[in-house]
Amino acid sequence: MSADERRESVIHAAITAFARGGYDGTSTETIARAVGVSQPYLFRLFPSKQAMFLAAAERCLTDTMGILLAAGEGEDAAQCMAAAYGRLIAEDPDKLLMQMQTYAAVAAAEASGDHEFGVSVRACWARMWDEVHLALGADDEETKNYFAHGMLINTLTSLGFPVGHRVWSSIWDSARPTSGETGKAEEAGPAGSVPGSTSFPD
């Protein structure tokens, strides 16, 4: 396996590990073991744990953006992207957990005075905003509503609100979870749990 292929394996393993354990709660040894390499080799691919986390966070956001844009190529872009996002976090809950861990880690870094930690994440998130904005016809109101729905979905899912609870009534029909989707998420762990995070309850 080439170094590039190993690097890809590390990023995928890091998304899973950091999603479930958070930045502080995840060791590089855990990631190295998941990939089947030694820690010294891991640090030949990434200079630090922070670099691994940021690579995982950026990949998570980039993959999410790709799925949204592919879904928004036709008519009713907002509804199609909302439905695609709902499917994504139901079928791959680590994508949601990694998002939430990223927000928590960047917020903690900002609070401690480390304003550099979140630079690349903010740039990636802003790029996603801009691309989705274009897909929605560069309509400011549409873009605001779309991301507001997305962040509300993140919150309700992370808090484990079950399908059918009244809090879901304000969400677009296309973005609401189904019982089948909730079942998939629960297979990977407690619905909406963000293990290892001090900002979000298990």
PDB file of all heavy atoms in Angstrom, residues 28-41:
ATOM      1  N   THR A  28      -3.766   8.859  19.428  1.00  0.00           N
ATOM      2  CA  THR A  28      -3.217   8.494  18.119  1.00  0.00           C
ATOM      3  C   THR A  28      -2.946   6.997  18.060  1.00  0.00           C
ATOM      4  O   THR A  28      -2.967   6.401  16.985  1.00  0.00           O
ATOM      5  CB  THR A  28      -1.923   9.276  17.831  1.00  0.00           C
ATOM      6  OG1 THR A  28      -0.988   9.069  18.899  1.00  0.00           O
ATOM      7  CG2 THR A  28      -2.216  10.763  17.697  1.00  0.00           C
ATOM      8  N   GLU A  29      -2.731   6.383  19.212  1.00  0.00           N
ATOM      9  CA  GLU A  29      -2.527   4.935  19.252  1.00  0.00           C
ATOM     10  C   GLU A  29      -3.775   4.202  18.764  1.00  0.00           C
ATOM     11  O   GLU A  29      -3.683   3.203  18.050  1.00  0.00           O
ATOM     12  CB  GLU A  29      -2.190   4.496  20.673  1.00  0.00           C
ATOM     13  CG  GLU A  29      -1.933   2.994  20.808  1.00  0.00           C
ATOM     14  CD  GLU A  29      -1.639   2.580  22.234  1.00  0.00           C
ATOM     15  OE1 GLU A  29      -1.616   3.453  23.119  1.00  0.00           O
ATOM     16  OE2 GLU A  29      -1.435   1.373  22.458  1.00  0.00           O
ATOM     17  N   THR A  30      -4.942   4.726  19.137  1.00  0.00           N
ATOM     18  CA  THR A  30      -6.205   4.134  18.691  1.00  0.00           C
ATOM     19  C   THR A  30      -6.308   4.168  17.173  1.00  0.00           C
ATOM     20  O   THR A  30      -6.708   3.184  16.528  1.00  0.00           O
ATOM     21  CB  THR A  30      -7.401   4.884  19.302  1.00  0.00           C
ATOM     22  OG1 THR A  30      -7.345   4.775  20.720  1.00  0.00           O
ATOM     23  CG2 THR A  30      -8.723   4.338  18.792  1.00  0.00           C
ATOM     24  N   ILE A  31      -5.937   5.290  16.577  1.00  0.00           N
ATOM     25  CA  ILE A  31      -6.017   5.439  15.127  1.00  0.00           C
ATOM     26  C   ILE A  31      -4.986   4.546  14.445  1.00  0.00           C
ATOM     27  O   ILE A  31      -5.289   3.870  13.448  1.00  0.00           O
ATOM     28  CB  ILE A  31      -5.812   6.914  14.735  1.00  0.00           C
ATOM     29  CG1 ILE A  31      -6.937   7.770  15.330  1.00  0.00           C
ATOM     30  CG2 ILE A  31      -5.773   7.062  13.214  1.00  0.00           C
ATOM     31  CD1 ILE A  31      -6.724   9.265  15.192  1.00  0.00           C
ATOM     32  N   ALA A  32      -3.774   4.526  14.971  1.00  0.00           N
ATOM     33  CA  ALA A  32      -2.716   3.682  14.397  1.00  0.00           C
ATOM     34  C   ALA A  32      -3.136   2.216  14.419  1.00  0.00           C
ATOM     35  O   ALA A  32      -2.955   1.479  13.437  1.00  0.00           O
ATOM     36  CB  ALA A  32      -1.412   3.884  15.162  1.00  0.00           C
ATOM     37  N   ARG A  33      -3.724   1.786  15.528  1.00  0.00           N
ATOM     38  CA  ARG A  33      -4.157   0.399  15.662  1.00  0.00           C
ATOM     39  C   ARG A  33      -5.264   0.076  14.661  1.00  0.00           C
ATOM     40  O   ARG A  33      -5.277  -1.012  14.064  1.00  0.00           O
ATOM     41  CB  ARG A  33      -4.630   0.151  17.094  1.00  0.00           C
ATOM     42  CG  ARG A  33      -4.870  -1.316  17.416  1.00  0.00           C
ATOM     43  CD  ARG A  33      -4.988  -1.559  18.916  1.00  0.00           C
ATOM     44  NE  ARG A  33      -5.988  -0.716  19.550  1.00  0.00           N
ATOM     45  CZ  ARG A  33      -5.711   0.228  20.438  1.00  0.00           C
ATOM     46  NH1 ARG A  33      -4.459   0.478  20.787  1.00  0.00           N
ATOM     47  NH2 ARG A  33      -6.686   0.945  20.994  1.00  0.00           N
ATOM     48  N   ALA A  34      -6.181   1.019  14.453  1.00  0.00           N
ATOM     49  CA  ALA A  34      -7.282   0.797  13.510  1.00  0.00           C
ATOM     50  C   ALA A  34      -6.775   0.632  12.080  1.00  0.00           C
ATOM     51  O   ALA A  34      -7.345  -0.120  11.287  1.00  0.00           O
ATOM     52  CB  ALA A  34      -8.273   1.949  13.583  1.00  0.00           C
ATOM     53  N   VAL A  35      -5.696   1.338  11.757  1.00  0.00           N
ATOM     54  CA  VAL A  35      -5.146   1.283  10.394  1.00  0.00           C
ATOM     55  C   VAL A  35      -4.152   0.133  10.248  1.00  0.00           C
ATOM     56  O   VAL A  35      -3.885  -0.317   9.141  1.00  0.00           O
ATOM     57  CB  VAL A  35      -4.474   2.630  10.043  1.00  0.00           C
ATOM     58  CG1 VAL A  35      -3.893   2.617   8.644  1.00  0.00           C
ATOM     59  CG2 VAL A  35      -5.483   3.768  10.164  1.00  0.00           C
ATOM     60  N   GLY A  36      -3.606  -0.316  11.377  1.00  0.00           N
ATOM     61  CA  GLY A  36      -2.626  -1.393  11.328  1.00  0.00           C
ATOM     62  C   GLY A  36      -1.213  -0.913  11.068  1.00  0.00           C
ATOM     63  O   GLY A  36      -0.428  -1.595  10.403  1.00  0.00           O
ATOM     64  N   VAL A  37      -0.889   0.283  11.592  1.00  0.00           N
ATOM     65  CA  VAL A  37       0.462   0.816  11.441  1.00  0.00           C
ATOM     66  C   VAL A  37       0.984   1.220  12.812  1.00  0.00           C
ATOM     67  O   VAL A  37       0.230   1.296  13.783  1.00  0.00           O
ATOM     68  CB  VAL A  37       0.503   2.040  10.490  1.00  0.00           C
ATOM     69  CG1 VAL A  37      -0.003   1.657   9.108  1.00  0.00           C
ATOM     70  CG2 VAL A  37      -0.318   3.202  11.063  1.00  0.00           C
ATOM     71  N   SER A  38       2.278   1.482  12.898  1.00  0.00           N
ATOM     72  CA  SER A  38       2.867   1.928  14.147  1.00  0.00           C
ATOM     73  C   SER A  38       2.646   3.429  14.316  1.00  0.00           C
ATOM     74  O   SER A  38       2.416   4.151  13.335  1.00  0.00           O
ATOM     75  CB  SER A  38       4.369   1.635  14.155  1.00  0.00           C
ATOM     76  OG  SER A  38       5.026   2.416  13.165  1.00  0.00           O
ATOM     77  N   GLN A  39       2.725   3.905  15.559  1.00  0.00           N
ATOM     78  CA  GLN A  39       2.597   5.343  15.789  1.00  0.00           C
ATOM     79  C   GLN A  39       3.692   6.139  15.080  1.00  0.00           C
ATOM     80  O   GLN A  39       3.393   7.188  14.490  1.00  0.00           O
ATOM     81  CB  GLN A  39       2.592   5.644  17.283  1.00  0.00           C
ATOM     82  CG  GLN A  39       1.230   5.453  17.924  1.00  0.00           C
ATOM     83  CD  GLN A  39       1.204   5.929  19.359  1.00  0.00           C
ATOM     84  OE1 GLN A  39       1.892   5.386  20.212  1.00  0.00           O
ATOM     85  NE2 GLN A  39       0.412   6.955  19.625  1.00  0.00           N
ATOM     86  N   PRO A  40       4.957   5.686  15.108  1.00  0.00           N
ATOM     87  CA  PRO A  40       5.988   6.434  14.372  1.00  0.00           C
ATOM     88  C   PRO A  40       5.647   6.581  12.888  1.00  0.00           C
ATOM     89  O   PRO A  40       5.849   7.652  12.300  1.00  0.00           O
ATOM     90  CB  PRO A  40       7.251   5.592  14.575  1.00  0.00           C
ATOM     91  CG  PRO A  40       7.024   4.919  15.886  1.00  0.00           C
ATOM     92  CD  PRO A  40       5.559   4.593  15.908  1.00  0.00           C
ATOM     93  N   TYR A  41       5.084   5.516  12.281  1.00  0.00           N
ATOM     94  CA  TYR A  41       4.712   5.610  10.867  1.00  0.00           C
ATOM     95  C   TYR A  41       3.543   6.580  10.693  1.00  0.00           C
ATOM     96  O   TYR A  41       3.489   7.332   9.715  1.00  0.00           O
ATOM     97  CB  TYR A  41       4.327   4.242  10.314  1.00  0.00           C
ATOM     98  CG  TYR A  41       4.024   4.267   8.826  1.00  0.00           C
ATOM     99  CD1 TYR A  41       5.048   4.314   7.891  1.00  0.00           C
ATOM    100  CD2 TYR A  41       2.713   4.295   8.363  1.00  0.00           C
ATOM    101  CE1 TYR A  41       4.778   4.368   6.527  1.00  0.00           C
ATOM    102  CE2 TYR A  41       2.428   4.341   7.008  1.00  0.00           C
ATOM    103  CZ  TYR A  41       3.463   4.379   6.094  1.00  0.00           C
ATOM    104  OH  TYR A  41       3.184   4.450   4.753  1.00  0.00           O
TER     105      TYR A  41
END
